[in-house]
Amino acid sequence: VSAKRVWLKPDFRD
Amino acid sequence: MTPESVPRIRPGARVSYDQVRESAVVLFPEGVLVLNETAAAVVDLCDGRATIGDITRRLADDFSGVEPRDVVELVERLVARGVVVLDG
């Protein structure tokens, strides 16, 4: 089991 | 911006946690940015000491499949938005 989280494109709502 | 650039949160802005939305947010006089999980991880590392390259490497400790280009693009957007400044 990978302890790492899946990378999703970083984003923000302004 | 280069991999050696050092981003930091600008004076007057601060990172907080919105318990209603369960999201990290950047609060600053002109507005609010609600961050997704990976954006929050990047912003947490913008401490004025770590370079863009350092940040990307540290993210790879916690996330699989980190895209360096994504990190650069996010920091560029945060700089354009005026909540992050670059040293170096």
Side-chain angles (χ1 to χ4, degrees):
Chain A
V1 177
S2 171
K4 292 188 178 184
R5 291 167 283 174
V6 175
W7 177 257
L8 300 175
K9 189 174 181 66
D11 196 11
F12 58 81
R13 184 170 175 202
D14 194 346
Chain B
M1 184 181 344
T2 73
E4 298 310 309
S5 299
V6 177
R8 60 182 164 85
I9 303 294
R10 77 144 209 235
R14 67 186 177 89
V15 181
S16 185
Y17 185 76
D18 182 331
Q19 295 192 334
V20 173
R21 292 174 179 75
E22 298 184 338
S23 299
V25 295
V26 180
L27 305 173
F28 57 112
E30 299 87 354
V32 181
L33 306 181
V34 180
L35 310 174
N36 71 0
E37 180 189 21
T38 49
V42 173
V43 168
D44 276 346
L45 295 170
C46 292
D47 58 6
R49 295 189 298 273
T51 66
I52 295 287
D54 294 335
I55 289 171
T56 303
R57 284 187 287 275
R58 288 187 201 168
L59 288 167
D61 291 339
D62 293 329
F63 293 92
S64 60
V66 174
E67 289 286 347
R69 184 69 220 161
D70 288 347
V71 177
V72 170
E73 285 179 3
L74 178 76
V75 173
E76 286 175 340
R77 287 177 65 200
L78 293 170
V79 169
R81 195 62 194 82
V83 299
V84 165
V85 293
L86 293 175
D87 299 323

